[in-house]
Amino acid sequence: MSRLFFLFCLIAIQTLSPANAQEKTESDFPPAIEAEARTVGKSLRCVVCQNQSIEDSSAPLAADMRQLVRERLAAGDTPEEVRAFMTDRYGNFVLMKPPFQPDTFILWGAPFAFVLIAALCWRLYLRPGERILDTPDPLSDEEAARLRARLQEPGDI
Amino acid sequence: MGVLAIITGFFAIGLTRDPHALPTMMIDRPMPDFKLEPLGDEIPLLTFSDVKGEVTLVNVFGSWCVACAAEHSELMKIGNSGAVTLYGVDWRDTAFEGRQWLEQYGNPYSKVGLDADSRLAINLGVTGAPESFLIDTEGRIRYKHIGPITPEVWQETFLPLIQEIEGGKQ
Amino acid sequence: MIGEIGLFCLILALTAAVVQSTVPMWGAYARNSRMMSVGDSAAVVQFLLLAVAFGCLIAAFASSDFSLRIVAANSHTLKPLFYKVTAAWGQHEGSMLLWVLVLAAFGGAVAVFGTNLPATLKARTLAIQGMIGVAFLAFIIFTSNPFARLFPAPFEGNGFNPLLQDPGLAFHPPMLYFGYVGFSIAYSFSVAALIEGRVDAAWARWVRPWVLASWCFLTVGITAGSLWAYYELGWGGWWFWDPVENASFMPWLIGTALLHSALVVERRHALVNWTLLLSILTFTLSLIGTFLVRSGVLTSVHAFAVDPARGVFILGMILLASGGALTLYALRASVVKQGPPFAGVSREGGILANNLLLLCATAVVFLGTFYPLLIDTLTHDKITVGPPYFNMTFAPLMILVAMIMTFGPFVRWRSDSAKAATTSIRRPAIAAALLGLVIGTAGKSVVAGLGFGFASLVIFGLIAWVIKRTRLGLVPLSQSLYLARAFPRATWGFLGAHLGFALVMIGVAGTTSWNSETVSVMRPGDTLSLSGYELTLSSNTITRGPNYEAEQLTFNVALNGHPDGVIETERRYYPERDTFTTEAGIRPGPLANLYVAYSQSESGEGYTVRFNRHPFVIWIWIGGFVIAGGGFVSLTDRRFRVAAPHKTVRSARRAHAEGV
């Protein structure tokens, strides 16, 4: 319960705090690093937010993470290495795009599977045999005889 | 129909899971190297070498964190009990705010350091305060607790683990 | 006093719902017309009672009656009256009350306007609707009472989340609720028809206007939500694949499939079972959405107070409602009349393919939304399925949908030759491909090329279709115009809705490919440049609102050196909640939006300003509203409203003559 309360505080703080956390502001980095950092930042999830990347979030931890991303890129890390750094500490939760690994095979494979199943359904649905209208059973001999007799009677049928 | 049943089953179980509780990646890994700022001259500074040699409990807190105030009395007890060495990491505060908070509530920690830019917090995979890490004599993280330490948590989770570490001296 | 009246009405409404659930059902079984008509009265009474209850809630909010718990938690005396009122449905309890109110409204509407329905079907439908009402009213009264008291009553309330103090809030939830709660009627009709033992084309025709109406409202609701997020949240996003957004989107996708199935039924008596199953599925998704928002199962920016206890209740309801309906379907499948056969290349075939694609899309969104939960329960591992996943999987499906959408209207019913159909779209396809190629290379973006290419395929296809139908070029212009004017409203609806879809595609493609952004610390006099625009901070002023104070920044804009007006943006501080909000400065335009927002820079000197250019983004919402508009126009077509059996022959003949 207090955890929940804390989260509420954090969300309240989110809107309170500035985007920059440091005296060294984000725009202190060269534009190339800055641009790369934004791309990487968009792929990292803010772990204390409900559903935002660290670029979009105003949470203080997100600001710190953004700073860290820039520093590491400036120090020579590749974007992949920066992401690995984060997942090393926070797990796959911190990635916006789920990685391709055994427990996400279903996730990534499913869309193709769905389309294939759909195509299959389409074929099956159109198979002529199943789409014929209901035809009534043919008359038995007794019924046929009765019908013939009826038809020969005068008056309304 | 079967699909519906399975899906509902998952939802039902899902209700019992807390989507905010991130599992920790740091279990059985060494405490990352860190350099913290001092809170003040009178408060001993926590350094990396302090977490080796004995069983320590590192508690991440902040003056802005309401739940930390809630767990504080338990921390005072733990600090005084001597069962474990209690260290504090003041996360996202200024030295002034940290000092004020400790003055107001009391200082349960043997040593404290200030982590203003979240470097240590990020290295520990911290997502909120309070979080506490149990470190063994070789500086390896053995357990991470998210949220305030209640008496029950201390009794039922931490103490047995501390005894196990000290007994086994792994 | 107001609270007591409200609660009393709630309890009475529950009683009415119980009556509505039981008496007409028995009456239909026993062919007792008096008992059946009880359903009508009960439905109307239930609606009136809930309207009064809701009125009480609004009155409590308007008068700042803090003795009611939710008013104290969500309101404040300084809040403007408009937002006091809208806060009535801005939290869990109040929004649930709105939910059942809309449920009862639809029930009442069927009771009053469904004069051409057979008595037994109407009675059973109202009974099912009543049962849903019973379940949700019980839920409200026992777990989410909006009229719960707070003792002692505080003098002041907690205020209301400033993000929600916006006209958008007045509009977005009610529209959404009219949408996905409206699909409850389709569900009720379906279950009633299964019980009745008669599921045929006539039945589907009666359901159709209700489906169309709900779908239109849902379209408006979702579009409004996206627009609201864009201008209110301060970072220029318009869709986040957030679980709760997805919860409203999935019923929309299936609702679209349902809509098209219902359209086919009128012409060909085919796809009846699709209409039935999709009705059940759409409402199931609505219920699942309700479950998502309120149970704490997933993290989302939208989540209301999270409470697993409530989650269990709703989960039970979902199981009962969907499981029950599907079991019934399994048992009674024989009463569902099969339609005449059709070939793969046919209008029905196209719509069938469309349905399957939309089902795929829904399945993908569903999987992506719930996968974190799935993994968590199985392996305790936490992962995030974020926008990248959805964008990569959803977009290709929409491209396929665009292709079918272009192709379909040219294909004849029952059976057609693929060659004939492809000849009709050959020219539009080539033109679209060229356009896509040009835009893709000039704009240096594959996404843009594909998006614009397929959107123009749809649009050129529509133009080609109109040309063909009006025989433009083959006959004198006046005759073409005459033919155009003779288009039934449903045709204009189809043209509008499909055009809207293409516009949305253009908006999405443009903004996704060509968004540009720059962030910098600025002091008065500083300039920021982006894509030929120059933004100069000229002044900052402090202003006050009724319950906030704001710091407003004014920027001079220059385009390629020439002065081009001014943009203002502000940050507001709401003391009642001790939070800030950003009111971004937006300059909309058909080619691009300019978007400016700022926050305080850490050092205290200057401001951190974010300046964005969002190309074509405005077409997303224009497109959305055009889609809904098309739907509403269709709704006014008499053929879609008047669905009694004796009109079948006449309307079929007329439709045939028009060749739609």
Side-chain angles (χ1 to χ4, degrees), chain A residues 4 8 11-12 15-23 25-27 34 38 42 45 49-52 55-56 90-99 101-108 110-111 114-115 117-119 121-122 125-126 130-134, chain C residues 235 240-243 271 273-274 299-301 303 306 338-344 349 352-353 356 360 363-364 367-368 371 375 379 381-389 392-393 397 517-521 571 577-580 599-602 608 610:
Chain A
L4 215 64
F8 177 83
I11 291 165
T15 31
L16 246 168
S17 300
N20 280 332
Q22 304 303 112
E23 283 164 13
T25 61
E26 287 162 350
S27 45
E34 189 58 34
R38 289 226 197 98
K42 286 217 148 70
R45 180 184 183 154
C49 316
Q50 292 281 42
N51 195 19
Q52 294 167 256
E55 280 304 308
D56 296 328
Y90 285 98
N92 287 324
F93 185 74
V94 78
L95 293 177
M96 277 302 215
K97 180 164 120 181
Q101 62 193 35
D103 65 358
T104 58
F105 280 161
I106 299 179
L107 183 67
W108 286 106
F114 289 149
V115 176
I117 294 174
C121 286
W122 199 67
Y125 205 83
L126 294 173
E130 288 169 5
R131 303 299 293 122
I132 294 173
L133 285 169
D134 265 329
Chain C
W235 62 77
F240 311 94
W241 293 110
D242 179 80
L271 297 187
N273 51 352
W274 274 91
T299 48
S300 156
V301 293
V306 293
Q338 299 278 45
F342 52 85
L352 178 64
L356 287 166
C360 278
V364 163
L367 187 68
Y371 204 77
I375 290 291
T379 66
D381 188 17
K382 304 259 188 212
I383 61 165
T384 299
V385 179
Y389 172 80
M392 282 170 61
T393 50
L397 287 170
E517 174 182 78
T518 180
V519 181
S520 189
V521 178
R571 277 192 96 214
R577 275 271 173 122
D578 196 25
T579 45
F580 285 87
S599 56
Q600 213 68 29
S601 98
E602 167 85 359
T608 309
R610 182 197 279 223

Side-chain angles (χ1 to χ4, degrees), chain B:
Chain B
M1 263 290 288
V3 176
L4 183 67
I6 296 173
I7 293 177
T8 321
F10 276 121
F11 280 161
I13 304 173
L15 279 173
T16 63
R17 312 273 310 138
D18 177 4
H20 293 124
L22 275 186
T24 179
M25 304 286 294
M26 304 301 295
I27 298 289
D28 281 341
R29 286 165 60 170
M31 183 76 174
D33 195 356
F34 59 85
K35 193 162 188 315
L36 301 175
E37 304 293 308
L39 275 183
D41 294 330
E42 342 66 64
I43 302 176
L45 174 64
L46 176 65
T47 61
F48 183 53
S49 49
D50 291 322
V51 298
K52 286 209 186 109
E54 49 186 351
V55 182
T56 53
L57 184 62
V58 175
N59 174 262
V60 177
F61 71 98
S63 65
W64 40 267
C65 158
V66 179
C68 303
E71 108 184 306
H72 189 266
S73 54
E74 185 64 21
L75 283 181
M76 292 296 277
K77 267 190 252 152
I78 294 172
N80 291 332
S81 74
V84 76
T85 312
L86 184 62
Y87 291 139
V89 176
D90 187 4
W91 181 36
R92 290 217 112 249
D93 264 336
T94 61
F96 176 68
E97 288 164 340
R99 268 202 313 273
Q100 256 209 324
W101 196 83
L102 290 175
E103 269 163 33
Q104 182 182 2
Y105 287 98
N107 185 359
Y109 308 108
S110 310
K111 296 192 181 180
V112 194
L114 180 67
D115 181 18
D117 56 6
S118 304
R119 283 310 139 89
L120 178 57
I122 293 178
N123 276 332
L124 286 173
V126 167
T127 59
E131 285 186 14
S132 308
F133 296 82
L134 190 65
I135 323 262
D136 69 11
T137 54
E138 284 161 41
R140 264 186 320 167
I141 300 173
R142 300 299 290 270
Y143 182 68
K144 166 178 161 180
H145 180 74
I146 298 175
I149 300 181
T150 63
E152 297 78 43
V153 169
W154 176 247
Q155 280 294 122
E156 287 157 32
T157 313
F158 278 98
L159 271 183
L161 197 51
I162 295 170
Q163 275 151 15
E164 188 192 312
I165 297 174
E166 287 183 337
K169 274 291 192 251
Q170 289 161 20

